[in-house]
Amino acid sequence: MDIILSVIGFALFGVPMLLVAAWIRLDSPGPALFRQVRVGRGGRFFEILKFRTMSLRNGGIALTVRGDSRVTRVGMFLRASKIDELPQLINVLKGDMSLVGPRPEVPEYAFRYPEQKLVWSVRPGITDPTAIRFRDESALLARMDDPERYYVETVLPQKIEGYLEYLERRSLLYDVAVILNTVRALVLDRLGGEDADDDR
């Protein structure tokens, strides 16, 4: 399913992805793709791909909160629409990721809790039920005095719990349902029909 749907994804979005890449290059200096080390299956490191949504200047925490000055004009749109995640189809075809699975963490946060080792029993995914629940995470963190501490001490444990629940339920049919629910959530968000923070 990963390979078939990824190929279909490239067939549908290949040209729009090239246009997005050109838009990013015109909007701000730097490459169109953003590469970052994440922790994948078995605790192995891999390089995740996204469309670049931030300026190249250094500094700041690994998290991104709503209103972050590092986010470019194009980046705000790409993040809100989740289009920035599309290059991860390449990660899926390479075998680093699946379409559905726990979202991979950066090494800085990936080794905070021993339960995360259980999460690494499967390939990380582009989406999963927890990703749907926390799809507007940056808005939540923006309300906190210390976003990084809140993420590590509150959000991350909730994510791990959600990932473990997914592992207990995962199946082909369940993964298909997750993909459909992801599309539904994104459409509702764009139509303003659902508050992305309701489930937190």
Side-chain angles (χ1 to χ4, degrees), residues 79-96:
R79 284 175 173 271
S81 61
K82 304 302 181 183
I83 291 175
D84 63 317
E85 309 284 356
L86 283 178
Q88 288 165 50
L89 292 173
I90 299 173
N91 289 117
V92 175
L93 290 176
K94 289 173 61 179
D96 295 327

Side-chain angles (χ1 to χ4, degrees), residues 63-177:
L63 300 170
T64 306
V65 300
R66 178 168 290 181
D68 195 315
S69 62
R70 297 172 296 176
V71 178
T72 63
R73 292 171 298 178
V74 172
M76 288 188 287
F77 168 76
L78 297 180
R79 284 175 173 271
S81 61
K82 304 302 181 183
I83 291 175
D84 63 317
E85 309 284 356
L86 283 178
Q88 288 165 50
L89 292 173
I90 299 173
N91 289 117
V92 175
L93 290 176
K94 289 173 61 179
D96 295 327
M97 297 178 66
S98 291
L99 292 174
V100 181
R103 288 294 295 166
E105 277 290 346
V106 296
E108 184 175 351
Y109 304 130
F111 300 93
R112 299 276 181 149
Y113 298 96
E115 295 86 356
Q116 286 176 294
K117 293 182 179 180
L118 299 175
V119 177
W120 300 336
S121 64
V122 299
R123 284 195 297 269
I126 297 177
T127 187
D128 80 310
T130 303
I132 298 173
R133 178 185 175 191
F134 285 98
R135 63 189 181 276
D136 200 18
E137 179 184 292
S138 62
L140 172 67
L141 297 177
R143 298 197 293 265
M144 304 301 159
D145 293 332
D146 189 340
E148 187 170 32
R149 179 176 180 180
Y150 183 80
Y151 180 80
V152 171
E153 296 182 357
T154 303
V155 175
L156 186 54
Q158 292 180 31
K159 283 187 172 184
I160 295 173
E161 182 180 357
Y163 297 152
L164 296 178
E165 290 177 1
Y166 163 75
L167 293 182
E168 293 178 357
R169 301 183 61 185
R170 70 188 293 257
S171 68
L172 179 60
L173 290 178
Y174 187 58
D175 283 0
V176 171

Side-chain angles (χ1 to χ4, degrees), residues 9-81:
F10 275 115
L12 292 175
F13 303 116
V15 173
M17 287 173 67
L18 290 175
L19 295 176
V20 169
W23 189 19
I24 294 170
R25 293 293 303 273
L26 291 171
D27 181 65
S28 62
L33 290 180
F34 169 73
R35 303 168 185 269
Q36 186 181 53
V37 174
R38 298 288 180 99
V39 181
R41 187 175 186 177
R44 294 188 294 271
F45 291 178
F46 73 98
E47 197 172 62
I48 198 171
L49 300 175
K50 293 186 177 186
F51 281 125
R52 181 174 60 83
T53 60
M54 303 175 72
S55 64
L56 296 181
R57 63 186 177 88
N58 297 321
I61 61 176
L63 300 170
T64 306
V65 300
R66 178 168 290 181
D68 195 315
S69 62
R70 297 172 296 176
V71 178
T72 63
R73 292 171 298 178
V74 172
M76 288 188 287
F77 168 76
L78 297 180
R79 284 175 173 271
S81 61

